[in-house]
Amino acid sequence: MSEHTKTDGLPDVMPSAVLEPVVLDKSRPRSERMASDKIECNACPVLCQISPGKTGACDRYANASGVLVRVDPVVLLRRTLEHDDAALVPFAARSDESAAEVQANPLAAQNEVFVTGIGSSTTYPDYKPAPFIVASQRDGVDMVTVVTEGIFSYCSFKVKIDTDRWLGPEQANVRCKGEVVGHVSTAEYGSQMLSLGGVHHLTGGSKKEGRVTCEMMLALGNKEAVELTIDGGSQVTIQSGKAPIVNGVEEQRMRVGCGSATIGIFAKQFFGQADEVVVVDDHITGVLTQHQAGRCLDMRPSGIRIRGRKSTPGRYFQVANPGTGWGGTDIADPLSIIEGWDSETAWPGLKLLMVSTTGEHAAWYVLDDALVPQPAEMPAAMQSVVERIGENCEPSLTTVLFLGGAGGSLRAGVTENPVLLTRRIKQAMVNVTCGGAPAYVWPGGGITVMVDVARMPDRSFGTVPTPALVAPIEFSMRLDEYQALGGHMEHVRSLDDALARGAWHNDGAPTARRWVANASANPWPLGEPPMLG
Ligand code: SF4
């Protein structure tokens, strides 16, 4: 074993072949008519023929003086780096035997570095080993991380938009630049879910639909703003980690709860200030004196009659149509949901608070002699309860989760026996990350991963014109585990070697690296026990 590739802790299972640089067969282009100075990129099925100085259709690969290179740098995570470092550090030529020694990074020895799939390149077709299979140590355990850029045709974004406002009917089409790119999914507690992208829109419709879908997904994954319109609903601008903009108005607050929950939370604070409180909500409008919370406080019935469908005491569905008014309804005048008052029960001088679930809308009334609510100045004590409702609302955000299927041929870049990888992931013996960010792996068959793009480094995603999305993915496990599941042991490289000389392959490999700080919210991507146990 030559010195420059030796890593302490690597067991004897590594064959000597690990040391030899591997050169891909670039012999003949598939098209005999291809100009001799062009290079065929085989990093995806498009097989671009790239002229000198030009890039391929995805702008990710280029012909640099007759050599096919991955244009973007590999992103390396560093645990202790406070800010991203924009500097590009070139890799030494893989043929430079002394490079690893010369550029050995002390951080590698301290396990301060993690090679991500961002910019790592793809060794398509997948029967070739992944571009980086990197040995390292964690807590004295020999580890390996298999790193690649996956090409995902089967992928989508699940978007959670914190808002009460009406975005559109469930199942409605979501459009970008006029093309259908997804649909409205379920409403959740204080949020509306959208499903965007997916193979049906990428490849199952017109060419334009696929192209627009792919562009929209790329922007969304890379934390950029995307403008969408919903059939029969609203116009929204969404961006990971930012407040959604609905019909041109930036959303501020996520509701404290539904109308019934708001009654329950604040009943004691309403008590003694108002004789009746109605919390207007598109889902469940709450009425204090009829609600169990009001009954527990022994409140006198007010005789109010509310429009809509009564669910249980003090809880009403469908008091109005959904919209962008009070509490996600279409009303601007809260009194419009009051059908009337029972003259036997209500009384002149009754004090009524109408409020929305975010506290953004609130009005105070007193019943006159004819039992008609008359607007009045809200007492300061009640005003502070309304403000407390607002205080308990969290800021509205857009959350963007990438959902991708990595259970196909991508696994062949990891192991010769792909099902073993799938099984070991399910048994939590393999940690899956995307750009170093923790990925949730769905139970059941396949490797269906989900990751919050906000936790990934900027510009983690790319595209290819098939069309499909390119996303980083890393599989970390114990080195002996990797050998047991049929891993490509002959391509395991030391961390020093990977840092100094890059990917194992010469053709289409990245030429430089860039440091990025590990996001403070993310655990170190090498994983936790039992993987280390
Ligand atoms: S689209 Fe990109 S990855 Fe695919 S062949 Fe062309 S240059 Fe290579």
Side-chain angles (χ1 to χ4, degrees):
M1 183 175 277
S2 305
E3 281 213 19
H4 69 271
T5 50
K6 181 152 187 355
T7 294
D8 288 340
L10 285 183
D12 294 332
V13 293
M14 294 183 67
S16 57
V18 72
L19 307 177
E20 298 305 320
V22 183
V23 179
L24 293 183
D25 177 15
K26 296 168 59 182
S27 49
R28 284 174 41 195
R30 291 185 191 192
S31 166
E32 298 297 339
R33 287 184 300 173
M34 189 171 92
S36 59
D37 58 349
K38 285 188 175 180
I39 295 179
E40 184 178 81
C41 173
N42 64 359
C44 92
V46 176
L47 299 174
C48 294
Q49 297 176 1
I50 310 173
S51 300
K54 303 284 186 196
T55 58
C58 65
D59 286 337
R60 297 163 56 243
Y61 289 86
N63 179 342
S65 308
V67 178
L68 181 69
V69 295
R70 177 73 176 87
V71 172
D72 306 295
V74 180
V75 168
L76 305 174
L77 285 189
R78 192 171 144 190
R79 203 199 294 245
T80 51
L81 193 67
E82 286 196 0
H83 304 289
D84 295 354
D85 182 353
L88 299 187
V89 184
F91 288 123
R94 192 147 273 291
S95 56
D96 182 354
E97 296 255 326
S98 63
E101 255 186 349
V102 172
Q103 299 191 25
N105 195 312
L107 293 169
Q110 296 160 24
N111 297 302
E112 287 282 320
V113 182
F114 182 81
V115 180
T116 76
I118 305 164
S120 66
S121 74
T122 306
T123 41
Y124 182 86
D126 299 296
Y127 60 76
K128 295 173 196 154
F132 286 86
I133 304 179
V134 184
S136 64
Q137 280 208 326
R138 177 165 177 179
D139 300 341
V141 178
D142 289 322
M143 305 290 292
V144 68
T145 302
V146 183
V147 177
T148 192
E149 284 183 305
I151 298 176
F152 291 87
S153 303
Y154 288 88
C155 67
S156 63
F157 287 96
K158 304 305 172 201
V159 181
K160 172 174 164 283
I161 301 172
D162 300 336
T163 184
D164 270 354
R165 318 220 186 264
W166 168 247
L167 298 190
E170 200 166 301
Q171 302 178 9
N173 285 334
V174 178
R175 293 176 188 273
C176 181
K177 297 176 182 166
E179 296 296 319
V180 179
V181 296
H183 64 273
V184 176
S185 183
T186 49
E188 300 300 342
Y189 205 76
S191 311
Q192 177 63 60
M193 310 295 288
L194 303 183
S195 177
L196 300 177
V199 70
H200 175 76
H201 298 295
L202 280 170
T203 61
S206 68
K207 260 190 172 177
K208 189 176 175 207
E209 179 179 332
R211 182 175 51 75
V212 171
T213 299
C214 200
E215 286 169 7
M216 179 277 301
M217 293 177 77
L218 177 68
L220 210 52
N222 285 341
K223 308 175 196 172
E224 293 166 15
V226 168
E227 282 182 33
L228 303 167
T229 53
I230 297 170
D231 287 2
S234 304
Q235 226 182 3
V236 288
T237 303
I238 52 172
Q239 184 173 9
S240 170
K242 299 276 194 293
I245 300 169
V246 181
N247 291 335
V249 180
E250 185 173 300
E251 191 64 286
Q252 302 291 330
R253 299 178 191 171
M254 182 180 181
R255 69 179 183 174
V256 67
C258 68
S260 171
T262 309
I263 290 280
I265 295 169
F266 296 99
K268 274 171 92 174
Q269 297 173 54
F270 293 139
F271 184 61
Q273 312 283 344
D275 299 309
E276 184 61 281
V277 176
V278 177
V279 181
V280 182
D281 177 29
D282 173 49
H283 182 209
I284 303 172
T285 289
V287 179
L288 178 61
T289 60
Q290 300 171 8
H291 194 278
Q292 188 61 16
R295 291 184 178 188
C296 286
L297 291 168
D298 229 1
M299 287 190 76
R300 176 180 170 185
S302 69
I304 195 169
R305 288 198 306 273
I306 296 287
R307 293 188 200 283
R309 182 160 66 85
K310 185 173 171 184
S311 164
T312 53
R315 300 167 75 253
Y316 292 83
F317 295 147
Q318 300 158 5
V319 296
N321 292 317
T324 55
W326 279 57
T329 69
D330 62 347
I331 61 168
D333 173 13
L335 297 180
S336 64
I337 67 166
I338 299 178
E339 211 163 57
W341 299 83
D342 176 0
S343 57
E344 300 290 308
T345 315
W347 64 97
L350 182 151
K351 294 170 285 182
L352 167 70
L353 173 72
M354 303 285 291
V355 64
S356 70
T357 45
T358 57
E360 283 168 308
H361 295 98
W364 183 254
Y365 302 92
V366 178
L367 292 196
D368 64 15
D369 290 343
L371 302 182
V372 175
Q374 299 297 338
E377 193 178 338
M378 190 179 302
M382 185 52 91
Q383 186 62 46
S384 10
V385 181
V386 170
E387 282 165 15
R388 182 162 287 178
I389 293 175
E391 183 191 330
N392 274 272
C393 295
E394 293 176 87
S396 285
L397 286 181
T398 303
T399 312
V400 178
L401 299 190
F402 170 69
L403 180 64
S409 60
L410 182 150
R411 294 174 298 170
V414 182
T415 164
E416 291 170 353
N417 196 1
V419 72
L420 294 182
L421 175 68
T422 310
R423 286 186 195 143
R424 298 309 265 162
I425 288 173
K426 299 292 162 57
Q427 292 159 358
M429 300 304 287
V430 177
N431 196 44
V432 186
T433 50
C434 291
Y440 173 75
V441 181
W442 280 65
I447 305 172
T448 304
V449 297
M450 195 159 70
V451 60
D452 180 356
V453 304
R455 301 177 78 168
M456 298 172 73
D458 293 345
R459 303 189 306 281
S460 285
F461 290 87
T463 61
V464 289
T466 50
L469 219 59
V470 179
I473 190 160
E474 306 95 25
F475 302 95
S476 298
M477 68 206 91
R478 294 169 57 123
L479 187 64
D480 55 2
E481 184 70 37
Y482 187 52
Q483 185 180 31
L485 60 77
H488 302 295
M489 297 302 292
E490 71 281 14
H491 286 280
V492 176
R493 307 257 155 197
S494 70
L495 190 48
D496 274 343
D497 183 78
L499 293 182
R501 303 196 300 172
W504 66 263
H505 60 115
N506 293 332
D507 191 22
T511 58
R513 54 192 163 98
R514 182 169 70 86
W515 294 102
V516 164
N518 188 44
S520 57
N522 289 349
W524 191 239
L526 279 184
E528 300 293 337
M531 205 176 74
L532 297 177

Short mmCIF file of all heavy atoms in Angstrom, two decimals, residues 304-308 335-341:
data_model
loop_
_atom_site.label_atom_id
_atom_site.label_comp_id
_atom_site.label_asym_id
_atom_site.label_seq_id
_atom_site.Cartn_x
_atom_site.Cartn_y
_atom_site.Cartn_z
N ILE A 304 -77.14 33.47 21.55
CA ILE A 304 -76.66 33.74 20.18
C ILE A 304 -76.97 32.55 19.27
O ILE A 304 -76.92 31.39 19.71
CB ILE A 304 -75.14 34.07 20.20
CG1 ILE A 304 -74.70 34.70 18.88
CG2 ILE A 304 -74.32 32.81 20.48
CD1 ILE A 304 -73.29 35.28 18.94
N ARG A 305 -77.35 32.87 18.03
CA ARG A 305 -77.55 31.81 17.04
C ARG A 305 -76.59 32.04 15.87
O ARG A 305 -76.57 33.13 15.28
CB ARG A 305 -79.01 31.81 16.54
CG ARG A 305 -80.01 31.31 17.58
CD ARG A 305 -81.33 30.90 16.91
NE ARG A 305 -81.88 31.98 16.09
CZ ARG A 305 -82.68 32.94 16.55
NH1 ARG A 305 -83.06 32.94 17.81
NH2 ARG A 305 -83.13 33.87 15.74
N ILE A 306 -75.78 31.02 15.60
CA ILE A 306 -74.71 31.15 14.59
C ILE A 306 -75.12 30.40 13.33
O ILE A 306 -75.72 29.33 13.39
CB ILE A 306 -73.39 30.55 15.15
CG1 ILE A 306 -72.91 31.34 16.37
CG2 ILE A 306 -72.28 30.49 14.11
CD1 ILE A 306 -72.35 32.70 16.05
N ARG A 307 -74.76 30.97 12.19
CA ARG A 307 -75.01 30.28 10.91
C ARG A 307 -74.08 29.06 10.81
O ARG A 307 -73.14 28.93 11.57
CB ARG A 307 -74.71 31.21 9.74
CG ARG A 307 -75.66 32.37 9.64
CD ARG A 307 -75.43 33.13 8.34
NE ARG A 307 -75.99 34.48 8.44
CZ ARG A 307 -77.28 34.76 8.36
NH1 ARG A 307 -78.17 33.80 8.16
NH2 ARG A 307 -77.72 36.00 8.47
N GLY A 308 -74.31 28.23 9.82
CA GLY A 308 -73.42 27.09 9.60
C GLY A 308 -73.97 25.82 10.21
O GLY A 308 -75.13 25.76 10.64
N LEU A 335 -70.42 40.18 11.90
CA LEU A 335 -71.81 40.02 12.32
C LEU A 335 -72.61 39.19 11.31
O LEU A 335 -73.69 38.69 11.61
CB LEU A 335 -72.47 41.39 12.53
CG LEU A 335 -71.85 42.25 13.64
CD1 LEU A 335 -72.58 43.59 13.75
CD2 LEU A 335 -71.89 41.52 14.98
N SER A 336 -72.08 39.07 10.09
CA SER A 336 -72.82 38.35 9.05
C SER A 336 -72.97 36.86 9.38
O SER A 336 -73.79 36.18 8.77
CB SER A 336 -72.13 38.53 7.69
OG SER A 336 -70.86 37.93 7.73
N ILE A 337 -72.19 36.35 10.32
CA ILE A 337 -72.36 34.91 10.63
C ILE A 337 -73.32 34.71 11.81
O ILE A 337 -73.56 33.59 12.23
CB ILE A 337 -71.01 34.21 10.92
CG1 ILE A 337 -70.37 34.74 12.22
CG2 ILE A 337 -70.06 34.33 9.75
CD1 ILE A 337 -69.24 33.85 12.72
N ILE A 338 -73.85 35.83 12.35
CA ILE A 338 -74.83 35.70 13.44
C ILE A 338 -76.23 35.72 12.83
O ILE A 338 -76.61 36.67 12.14
CB ILE A 338 -74.67 36.85 14.47
CG1 ILE A 338 -73.27 36.79 15.09
CG2 ILE A 338 -75.75 36.74 15.55
CD1 ILE A 338 -73.00 37.91 16.08
N GLU A 339 -76.96 34.64 13.09
CA GLU A 339 -78.30 34.52 12.54
C GLU A 339 -79.28 35.36 13.35
O GLU A 339 -80.24 35.92 12.83
CB GLU A 339 -78.73 33.06 12.58
CG GLU A 339 -79.65 32.63 11.47
CD GLU A 339 -79.66 31.12 11.38
OE1 GLU A 339 -79.97 30.48 12.41
OE2 GLU A 339 -79.30 30.60 10.33
N GLY A 340 -79.07 35.44 14.66
CA GLY A 340 -79.97 36.22 15.52
C GLY A 340 -79.72 35.88 16.98
O GLY A 340 -78.74 35.20 17.32
N TRP A 341 -80.61 36.39 17.82
CA TRP A 341 -80.48 36.19 19.27
C TRP A 341 -81.81 35.68 19.82
O TRP A 341 -82.87 36.15 19.39
CB TRP A 341 -80.11 37.50 19.96
CG TRP A 341 -78.79 38.06 19.48
CD1 TRP A 341 -78.56 38.79 18.37
CD2 TRP A 341 -77.53 37.87 20.12
NE1 TRP A 341 -77.22 39.09 18.25
CE2 TRP A 341 -76.56 38.55 19.34
CE3 TRP A 341 -77.10 37.22 21.28
CZ2 TRP A 341 -75.21 38.57 19.67
CZ3 TRP A 341 -75.76 37.26 21.62
CH2 TRP A 341 -74.81 37.92 20.82
#
